[in-house]
Amino acid sequence: MDLPRHHTIRETSHRILDPFTDDQLATLGQALHLTPGTTLLDLACGKGELLCTWARDHGTVGTGVDLSTVFVAAARERAAELGVDVTFVQGDASGYVADGPVDVASCVGATWIGDGVVGTLDLLGRSLKPGGIALVGEPFWRADPPEAARAIGDFLTLPGLVGQTRDAGWDLVEMVLADEHSWDRYVAAQWLNLRRFLDEHPDDELAPSLRHELSTAPLEYVTNQRPYLGWGVLALVRRS
């Protein structure tokens, strides 16, 4: 089992596979007051930038799990580049539980692995020490969107998202939110990746669908996504 190719093509140049900048990811690590030896598990870890840079900056250790062989290979290369103590596993994160309890368990931008935020928190909780922190990255509506925008996904508002996690038995203890600039850096960079792939592989079997995406995605983004859709990482501790 592997991730479909169009995902890895779209994010060829990305290190962070979410609408976060390097600074925002660093801010999240600082906000958690990470210390050397803190143990982490990152489900659907992508290219492992969270685990690798936090290990470099804070001395944390941990494991990342992702379905994509391409992303896991990139994550291992990044860990070797930075010389950090991080392990990456290629596999289905939706049923993965750490061998031993960890201090921080995260799923940043892939809550489909738990069929939504609440299910993902339940999954992360199975790997957490008592009092450990769960990190969940999730989109939310910043403003009431037009009907055309709602086709992007069935999201809550930020108050709705915070209320959902509260009602599921978790205390919100920190959060770092994306902004329009970080959304641009994530989404617009995909367009250049698509264009370069099409220029280099015009006869690829995915070329027609990627050509259609490049022809429609920018206008769709600036019309229906950029003005309305937020994203952020919530840090949560389960109530005892």
Side-chain angles (χ1 to χ4, degrees):
M1 184 181 294
D2 204 341
L3 202 64
R5 285 176 61 225
H6 65 269
H7 290 290
T8 57
I9 293 168
R10 190 181 293 124
E11 297 182 329
T12 300
S13 67
H14 294 60
R15 279 184 175 169
I16 301 171
L17 309 187
D18 297 296
F20 254 15
T21 62
D22 293 334
D23 287 344
Q24 288 164 332
L25 185 61
T27 295
L28 179 60
Q30 294 161 6
L32 298 177
H33 305 288
L34 300 169
T35 57
T38 297
T39 53
L40 280 71
L41 173 68
D42 191 16
L43 300 183
C45 66
K47 297 182 182 179
E49 192 72 358
L50 180 153
L51 287 172
C52 291
T53 57
W54 289 3
R56 176 195 64 194
D57 297 340
H58 305 284
T60 58
V61 297
T63 299
V65 183
D66 200 274
L67 191 62
S68 169
T69 56
V70 172
F71 292 164
V72 168
R76 289 170 177 163
E77 290 177 5
R78 183 64 166 154
E81 175 190 352
L82 298 182
V84 292
D85 183 14
V86 181
T87 300
F88 292 100
V89 176
Q90 191 275 324
D92 184 0
S94 64
Y96 192 94
V97 177
D99 292 336
V102 300
D103 298 303
V104 180
S106 58
C107 176
V108 178
T111 58
W112 56 82
I113 70 170
D115 293 324
V117 170
V118 173
T120 299
L121 284 170
D122 289 342
L123 174 61
L124 295 175
R126 294 168 62 190
S127 294
L128 279 175
K129 295 178 181 178
I133 293 175
L135 301 177
V136 174
E138 182 75 357
F140 56 86
W141 294 121
R142 294 191 296 115
D144 188 35
E147 195 60 35
R150 292 188 180 278
I152 298 170
D154 185 21
F155 304 123
L156 300 173
T157 62
L158 183 57
L161 180 60
V162 171
Q164 182 186 49
T165 61
R166 178 203 60 191
D167 294 345
W170 295 78
D171 291 325
L172 179 63
V173 297
E174 257 293 0
M175 67 180 187
V176 177
L177 304 183
D179 54 29
E180 288 184 341
H181 167 71
S182 57
W183 265 117
D184 292 346
R185 298 288 27 88
Y186 175 58
V187 177
Q190 296 178 1
W191 308 334
L192 183 56
N193 291 335
L194 293 177
R195 179 54 196 254
R196 286 178 170 167
F197 181 86
L198 289 167
D199 288 345
E200 295 169 5
H201 306 90
D203 298 323
D204 190 274
E205 63 181 355
L206 292 180
S209 63
L210 297 180
R211 176 68 259 175
H212 175 75
E213 180 177 343
L214 184 56
S215 299
T216 58
L219 182 58
E220 173 68 21
Y221 170 69
V222 300
T223 303
N224 290 322
Q225 181 171 332
R226 192 178 194 273
Y228 304 106
L229 194 63
W231 190 89
V233 179
L234 307 184
L236 303 128
V237 177
R238 185 161 46 191
R239 291 195 294 275
S240 56

